[in-house]
Amino acid sequence: GNERTCLQMAEFSALLRNFLVENNEERNRAEGQYNQLTVAEKMTHLVNAVRNHQDVEIRAMAAVLLRRLCVHSEELLNLGQSVLEPCKTELLAALQNEPVATVRRKICETVAEMARACIDEAGTNHWPMILKFLFECCNPQSPQLYEAALNIIGSVPGVFADQQGHYIVVIKQMLQQALNHPQEKVWTAAFKATSSFLVFQDEDDKTRSYFTDLLPILIKLLRTNLEAGEDSTVLQSMIDICTECPKFVRGQFDHLVELCLTFADNEMVEESIRQLTMEVIISLAENAPSMFRKHGSKFIQRFILQCVKFMIDLEDDPQWSLKDEMEEEDPKSNVVVGEGLIDRLSIAIGGRVLLQPIMATAPSLLQSADWRLRHSGLMMLGAMAEGCYDQMFTILDQIVLLVVPYCQDPHCRVRFAACNALGQFSIDFPLHFQKKYHTKVVPSLLMVLNDIENPQVQSHAAAALVNFIEQCPKAVLAKYIDDIVFKLEDIFSMKLKELLEKGTKQVLGQVITTTATVAEAMGDQFAQYYNRFMPSLKYIVANVTKKEYRLLRGKTIECISLIGLAVGAEKFMHDAADVMKLLLKLQTEQDIHMEVDDPQISYMMSAWGRMCKILGQSFVEYLPVVMEPLLKIASHQPEFTFVDSVDAEEAYNKDGGWEFITLADHQRLGVRTFGLDDKFTACQMLVVYARDLKGGFVDYVEPVAKIMIPLLRFLFHDMIRIVAAEILPYLLEDIQGKGIQAVQEMWSTISEKLLEAMNLEFDSDIWAVMADSLCSCIEMLGANCFTIGQYNTLVTIFKVRLQTSFLRVKDRMEKRKEEDYDEELEEDLNEEDKIDEQYLKKIADIMHALFKTHKTHILPFFNELVPVFSSMLDDSKPSFFRQWSLCTFDDLIECCGQHAATYQQYFLQPMLKCICDKAPQVRQAAVFGIGVMAQYASEQFAHACLEAIPLLTVVISDPNSRSNFLSIHATENAISAVAKICKYLKNGVPYETVLPTWLSWLPVVEDKDEAVHVYGYLCDLIESQSPFILGHDNQNVPRILAIFATALKEDTLSGNSEVHSRVLTILRHINSSQEVWNACMRFLSDDNKHTLDSALGLG
């Protein structure tokens, strides 16, 4: 036995040693042998190696592997006590006795992971000895073990689990004692442990407040750490506090901000530390904006000036403007950080507080003789625009007048910054900026386009023009189109010549992009300029083939396809064959020669998508060439990794292109982002083909589905999840050509994965797209599209979403009571309301699709949701809860008719009450419900309909009933509801008083759906010669003609040919008596007369 154990130990040591060799083959063989072992064998051998091996490197490697083993906690806890308990004991012994600091740190991380694995979902710690160990280690006389214990708490602050409340006094004493320890390593570990513990408390403000008297010590230690200036651990821990629990620092807010600003301003301090001190401040602003506005306003001017000091850290490089490629800015440079801080501060605290200090600073910067200060002033104005939108909007005249002259500044970098600001304003104030300032902006940018001596500036002017044009109304752009196009053509010709003679390409590439943007904006009106560009663009793709011109060719391909799409198939057809040949040639080269990072790949994919839109079904013949590489790119699987430590994460980041997210169990999962943008573009194009080619895409539906459906849970790229959801109904539609069984098999996969994704997705925008796709699928497939289990899953999803919304509303109500509450916070809370409203709207949309397709068959599942929807009608909740609940009950009534009466106890009285609700959207939902009651269940709801008439009358007659768009729709729905009550109720309606009043409320013109009911019923009454409508001696006929004239003029009835035809028939009947017609015309306006003459062909 002992000999065998020793032999196994020796073999395992040799295996571990091979993990450390540089030879890949040996290392892979060792990993293969290691993976053959059971979890119990790995655990036993690794703990033994950590505890007993003489070689430091072997102990360190064993600790790393053991930590990875602990990450898979489900396997760990299945080992059984006989294996696990001795391992835990030995592991703690190893930590106590490890003499080497680096190994001890790795064992700490392993113990922490083991401790995390031993805490179950109920919060019970199945390793009680770890707490005893931690408390024993917190001995000032054993600083190494003290540090180790604090590191474990820092890594797993939840280690106290359900015993935290019991030990809270001891925990605080332990941390307080450690923070006052004389050794830096101990108090640094204590600082991180305290930070982690506070952050872990999540929303438990009571526990956090118990620790607030540690705050002065923390700030004192932060100062000490900053003065030493060697390590950022303490500073990073303070950033964590300010990010996750910013209100914890309220009592020392001034001291903390003052300290950070002082060190940020000290140029003797290391640059990265200065930036991190500013990160502390911006973290407070972003995560407690109300508190920052209240307590931090006195520091804003200094914060801005410090940002300026960062932003002027520029070299006056005479070669900068001559470079042929735009250099990527270093995200860690002072310049980029400073500009980013202004942007972040404006978004965080808004313009009410920030605009005044910025406008007190920027003009003086712009007047400076130092070009760097002028540059920073312009960059600041551009950076603040998004966050200060409302306040900046009111003084935009002043700001534009301030900026535009600097397009002629003597320094090229300042001209660049002016173009940058104008481009940013174009994005942040879309339409308004273009409509109001085009006379200043377009000529200024065209002037800078002449700056041939400074290609960087010239290129940026063309880029700013793209920003301006993208949101520019066509009528405004048309005023400058000749000037813009001829300027672009001149530069294009000049730069193409330069390309062929000197190889320069940056300005040419940007001008090509700008030309594409102009074509896209002008549409078929660009046709007159088509021949000025297309031959040269084709020439570039065919002949400019060197590797360094790949991006230029990609932009050219984009431009060709956008111009083709703009001018239309007929104009483009003369070149379509040549372009397709070029694309096919490039595609073949891509398949054989192109490198994975070739920028042409993305442009090619998008160009094929546009060619599909241009060619329509004719594009199907190209699919065999296009789809193979497209599917390959869409299938790209990024590299994933679980990191063992912060150090390991940093090592991955040095490699570049890695992003990390924290999972629910606090593990850090990394993904290499290389190739993800191309993957997204490929998925986008699959949506285009599936949507536009329909049956022509049928052969590709199944392979595409295999790629796209799993991407519903692709966590590392939001837009990929969106397109994965968007494509689902198109795949279902396209596969119908293969028969019902193929459709059912496809839906079986889609429905399972879509519901699973909707259950887990917590981005409201993505969830909304998933809901839209689900609605489309339900409407396509009809009743019984789900299994019983799936209907129940859907009910659960709805309940969870609605309950979460209720809790968020309650949380917002509490925030309104906080001491820092202000107008800006109210705006933020209203934005949060919109997120919940989107969830509710989409749930209502899905219920609409289910009621529409399933009718009464959905009621058994709806029964589970009725109490939730009923609770949404409570007055204490925001109005959108009532709105979307009523919409769902409206669908119940409309689609289930008399069966809705079973549920009237849940909705009827609130619905009647909501007729007079302050919110027009709620009124509209309520009055629509009354209308469908009359239309589809008049017998069951007759009393309610009659009770509603006086309420409807009050709402319609209110002086503000048509004061805005939403109110108009609510009012027109109310008018329609009265029409339906009068039409469908058999008894009890006092027609003699209701109908004349109803006629006085007409016309309705905005809500075309309800207009059909209103004018249809009006036709009924006229055709039956109702005296209540026609009036004594037909005195109401002129009024009726005026109503019809308004409806015809506003094109209200264009969507319903039957009612439109009936109206014309009535008009012709009245017109057949010229005497009556002429008598009526005396009462009509010239506009109405003209409308009626045109409708009857009399004009």
XYZ file of all heavy atoms in Angstrom, residues 36 67 103 214 258 291 339 472 494 505 589 591 599 754 766 797 800 825 875 899 1004 1011 1023 1048:
194
model
N -7.461 11.997 -17.539
C -7.945 10.611 -17.392
C -8.275 10.284 -15.938
O -8.993 9.336 -15.656
C -6.870 9.631 -17.897
C -6.571 9.715 -19.394
C -7.777 9.393 -20.241
O -8.465 8.398 -20.008
N -8.055 10.236 -21.224
N -7.447 24.848 -7.731
C -8.429 25.938 -7.788
C -9.380 25.722 -8.964
O -10.591 25.903 -8.845
C -7.708 27.287 -7.926
C -8.662 28.473 -7.914
C -7.896 29.787 -8.081
N -8.767 30.923 -7.889
C -9.587 31.420 -8.821
N -9.630 30.855 -10.014
N -10.353 32.466 -8.567
N 3.377 31.258 -3.549
C 2.619 29.997 -3.465
C 1.486 30.152 -2.458
O 0.368 29.672 -2.677
C 3.545 28.823 -3.081
C 2.741 27.512 -2.999
C 4.681 28.671 -4.086
N -15.826 52.823 9.698
C -14.524 52.425 9.143
C -14.073 53.379 8.037
O -12.913 53.343 7.623
C -14.586 50.999 8.570
C -14.941 49.855 9.523
C -14.809 48.531 8.797
C -14.039 49.874 10.751
N -11.834 65.653 -2.442
C -10.703 66.584 -2.297
C -9.374 65.842 -2.420
O -8.444 66.293 -3.111
C -10.799 67.293 -0.941
C -9.680 68.266 -0.654
C -9.682 69.474 -1.582
O -10.765 70.052 -1.815
O -8.598 69.804 -2.098
N -26.677 62.211 -5.321
C -25.776 62.561 -4.223
C -24.644 63.452 -4.738
O -24.260 64.421 -4.078
C -25.199 61.288 -3.591
C -24.300 61.540 -2.404
S -23.714 60.017 -1.622
C -22.363 59.562 -2.722
N -11.048 63.425 -22.138
C -12.261 63.622 -22.951
C -13.363 62.658 -22.513
O -14.539 63.035 -22.403
C -11.917 63.411 -24.427
C -13.073 63.748 -25.350
C -12.735 63.469 -26.811
O -11.538 63.443 -27.164
O -13.679 63.283 -27.593
N -29.833 64.146 -42.112
C -30.267 65.377 -42.772
C -31.517 65.133 -43.620
O -31.532 64.214 -44.451
C -29.140 65.906 -43.664
S -29.462 67.547 -44.329
N -8.649 63.694 -57.672
C -7.298 64.080 -57.247
C -6.650 62.962 -56.418
O -5.493 62.593 -56.640
C -7.404 65.361 -56.410
C -6.054 65.932 -55.968
S -6.272 67.215 -54.684
C -7.523 68.257 -55.427
N -3.888 56.877 -49.425
C -5.235 56.304 -49.526
C -6.264 56.800 -48.513
O -7.459 56.612 -48.687
C -5.157 54.769 -49.396
C -4.537 54.321 -48.072
C -4.304 52.824 -48.052
C -3.709 52.363 -46.726
N -2.375 52.927 -46.454
N -11.446 34.640 -54.172
C -10.166 34.962 -53.532
C -10.288 34.851 -52.010
O -9.387 34.375 -51.321
C -9.730 36.381 -53.895
C -9.281 36.540 -55.335
C -9.015 38.004 -55.683
O -9.034 38.849 -54.754
O -8.800 38.294 -56.862
N -12.263 32.912 -50.316
C -12.320 31.511 -49.919
C -10.931 30.880 -49.908
O -10.649 29.985 -49.122
C -13.247 30.734 -50.856
C -14.685 31.234 -50.780
O -14.980 31.988 -49.838
O -15.479 30.904 -51.675
N -10.229 43.170 -43.678
C -11.415 44.039 -43.525
C -12.398 43.932 -44.681
O -13.567 44.311 -44.540
C -10.817 45.450 -43.444
C -9.472 45.348 -44.093
C -8.984 43.965 -43.814
N -36.344 29.420 -27.839
C -36.774 30.810 -27.696
C -37.357 31.046 -26.310
O -37.048 32.055 -25.654
C -37.791 31.166 -28.788
C -38.310 32.605 -28.798
C -37.162 33.616 -28.857
C -39.259 32.828 -29.981
N -33.434 43.435 -26.053
C -33.299 42.118 -26.688
C -34.545 41.286 -26.402
O -35.064 40.596 -27.290
C -32.022 41.410 -26.189
C -30.791 42.242 -26.559
C -31.911 40.007 -26.779
C -29.488 41.736 -25.967
N -42.839 32.705 -17.271
C -42.020 33.828 -17.755
C -42.745 35.144 -17.492
O -42.161 36.109 -16.982
C -41.705 33.668 -19.259
C -40.727 32.517 -19.474
C -41.128 34.959 -19.843
C -40.541 32.133 -20.939
N -42.846 36.013 -13.706
C -41.540 36.459 -13.205
C -41.260 37.888 -13.673
O -40.828 38.740 -12.896
C -40.425 35.503 -13.657
C -39.048 36.089 -13.367
C -40.582 34.142 -12.970
N -32.931 63.030 -11.042
C -33.201 61.655 -10.624
C -34.577 61.226 -11.114
O -34.752 60.088 -11.576
C -33.115 61.518 -9.102
C -33.442 60.120 -8.544
C -32.524 59.063 -9.119
C -33.366 60.109 -7.019
N -54.549 51.725 -8.764
C -54.244 53.151 -8.972
C -52.846 53.544 -8.503
O -52.271 54.522 -8.987
C -55.246 54.031 -8.198
C -56.584 54.083 -8.923
O -56.622 53.670 -10.083
O -57.567 54.517 -8.298
N -67.633 34.850 -23.267
C -66.863 34.151 -22.227
C -66.101 35.133 -21.343
O -65.682 34.778 -20.232
C -65.886 33.168 -22.879
C -66.575 32.093 -23.669
N -67.103 30.967 -23.074
C -66.840 31.991 -25.001
C -67.660 30.202 -24.010
N -67.520 30.804 -25.184
N -63.882 62.290 -36.813
C -62.663 61.650 -36.303
C -61.749 61.437 -37.501
O -62.221 61.038 -38.573
C -62.963 60.327 -35.573
C -63.895 60.553 -34.403
C -63.545 59.284 -36.500
N -62.114 54.903 -37.095
C -62.884 55.702 -38.055
C -63.809 54.821 -38.888
O -64.913 55.231 -39.261
C -61.936 56.482 -38.964
N -78.487 55.992 -44.059
C -79.224 55.109 -44.982
C -80.579 54.719 -44.409
O -81.545 54.505 -45.159
C -78.385 53.853 -45.259
C -77.178 54.143 -46.161
C -76.097 53.072 -46.108
O -76.268 52.074 -45.363
O -75.079 53.234 -46.798
N -62.496 62.705 -45.917
C -61.912 62.445 -47.242
C -60.604 63.218 -47.418
O -59.614 62.685 -47.944
C -62.906 62.822 -48.337
C -64.150 61.925 -48.427
C -65.202 62.569 -49.327
C -63.773 60.537 -48.952
